[in-house]
Amino acid sequence: MGWLEGDVALITGAGSGLGRALVDRFESEGARVVAFDRSPERVAAVEAAHQGTVVGVAGDVAVGEDNERAVAQALEAFGRLDTFIGNAGLFDYGARLADTPMETLDRGFDELIAVNVKGCLLGVKAALDALVAASGSVVLTASLSSRNAGVGGAIYTASKHAVVGLVEQLAFELAPEVRVNGVSPGFMRTDIRGPSALGLADRTLDSMPDLDQLARALLPLRFLPDPADYSGHYVQLASRANAAATTGVVVDCDGGFSVRGMPPLPGG
Ligand SMILES: NC(=O)c1ccc[n+]([C@@H]2O[C@H](COP(=O)([O-])OP(=O)(O)OC[C@H]3O[C@@H](n4cnc5c(N)ncnc54)[C@H](O)[C@@H]3O)[C@@H](O)[C@H]2O)c1
């Protein structure tokens, strides 16, 4: 018996990386899933891998009607919605303020924040009535950049701090019917892209050969996690039986990055 038997989840950014791992894990825990992603090819691939238990929706999380269409699909296909997972995201690859021209910064901010922050907000808005009806929950993907500077640039770091703000504000507003929590993953090798306004539409973490080495050197836990390594936190937070009293919480699972400390002082 899985932890999410009979539940229905809507997962954004479900076509790749962490979102795809969440679809696989939620399905294995007994949930039926609506997999929402901008890429129609990825949506088709997820659907094909889980026939009968996963329904795909191609759309943009930054567009209100696309979120409404995804929620309508959950209700039409499965009759209910228990969990909304706002996970689609872009990364700014550490773009530095001083090196970014004003106009590029302006457009890059709008493009990234529209996905990482507005996408979560519009998704929860679209799902709200269904979540209230099911006494369901929300889980948003934050990041180690929700509490650490210097991995992302200012735009990404601000966007992931804002996700924590959404978790706390929405947990306050939506109680007692709907629990709202977040998960802050650390490094993982995925296909994550950047805003085209910053010239990062084709950049991916996937192509960084030294990511394993970096993780071993930097993280107290000394390994590069797979996306699936983060999925258990989402399952627990979504599970009524295992997180009934939990709302407004963001779970850090960053390999210890936030507690890495510093090397011994010379002579110390
Ligand atoms: N990769 C990391 O190291 C890392 C670390 C911490 C947090 N995260 C967060 O994890 C989440 C998932 O990222 P990932 O690394 O799995 O990336 P990914 O690119 O592998 O997966 C993200 C998916 O989101 C989709 N997407 C992008 N913009 C969209 C939009 N506007 N509408 C709908 N779908 C859209 C993409 O098509 C892609 O399939 C993001 O929120 C990211 O910030 C990633």
Side-chain angles (χ1 to χ4, degrees), residues 2-54:
W3 276 22
L4 301 174
E5 219 61 56
D7 278 8
V8 176
L10 167 51
I11 300 175
T12 75
S16 169
L18 179 56
R20 175 58 202 263
L22 291 173
V23 174
D24 297 346
R25 180 68 189 271
F26 270 56
E27 203 257 3
S28 78
E29 293 289 343
R32 288 163 298 164
V33 178
V34 174
F36 180 19
D37 199 286
R38 191 167 54 177
S39 157
E41 296 77 25
R42 288 176 174 176
V43 164
V46 186
E47 221 176 21
H50 296 289
Q51 283 174 24
T53 48
V54 174

Side-chain angles (χ1 to χ4, degrees), residues 75-100:
L75 298 179
E76 189 184 317
F78 304 127
R80 58 187 291 132
L81 180 62
D82 298 280
T83 302
F84 171 78
I85 298 190
N87 168 76
L90 298 176
F91 186 45
D92 66 4
Y93 286 89
R96 295 280 172 142
L97 186 69
D99 302 334
T100 311

Side-chain angles (χ1 to χ4, degrees), residues 12-20 36-39 42 57-63 66 86-91 111 114-116 119-120 141-145 156 159-160 163 183-193 205-206 211 224 227 230 234:
T12 75
S16 169
L18 179 56
R20 175 58 202 263
F36 180 19
D37 199 286
R38 191 167 54 177
S39 157
R42 288 176 174 176
V57 176
D60 185 343
V61 295
V63 175
D66 287 5
N87 168 76
L90 298 176
F91 186 45
E111 192 179 337
V115 180
N116 292 18
C120 291
T141 296
S143 165
L144 86 167
S145 294
Y156 184 76
S159 81
K160 291 299 182 177
V163 169
V183 176
S184 282
F187 301 124
M188 58 185 138
R189 188 181 293 286
T190 71
D191 187 54
I192 194 163
R193 304 295 169 121
L205 280 181
D206 230 356
L211 202 55
L224 179 66
Y230 300 111
Y234 290 79

Side-chain angles (χ1 to χ4, degrees), residues 66-144:
D66 287 5
N67 285 285
E68 287 169 349
R69 199 158 44 79
V71 172
Q73 186 62 261
L75 298 179
E76 189 184 317
F78 304 127
R80 58 187 291 132
L81 180 62
D82 298 280
T83 302
F84 171 78
I85 298 190
N87 168 76
L90 298 176
F91 186 45
D92 66 4
Y93 286 89
R96 295 280 172 142
L97 186 69
D99 302 334
T100 311
M102 180 64 88
E103 202 263 340
T104 306
L105 186 68
D106 189 349
R107 288 188 299 116
F109 180 92
D110 287 349
E111 192 179 337
L112 188 145
I113 296 285
V115 180
N116 292 18
V117 185
K118 189 169 83 169
C120 291
L121 189 62
L122 298 185
V124 177
K125 175 69 179 166
L128 188 53
D129 289 348
L131 293 177
V132 168
S135 297
S137 72
V138 171
V139 187
L140 303 181
T141 296
S143 165
L144 86 167

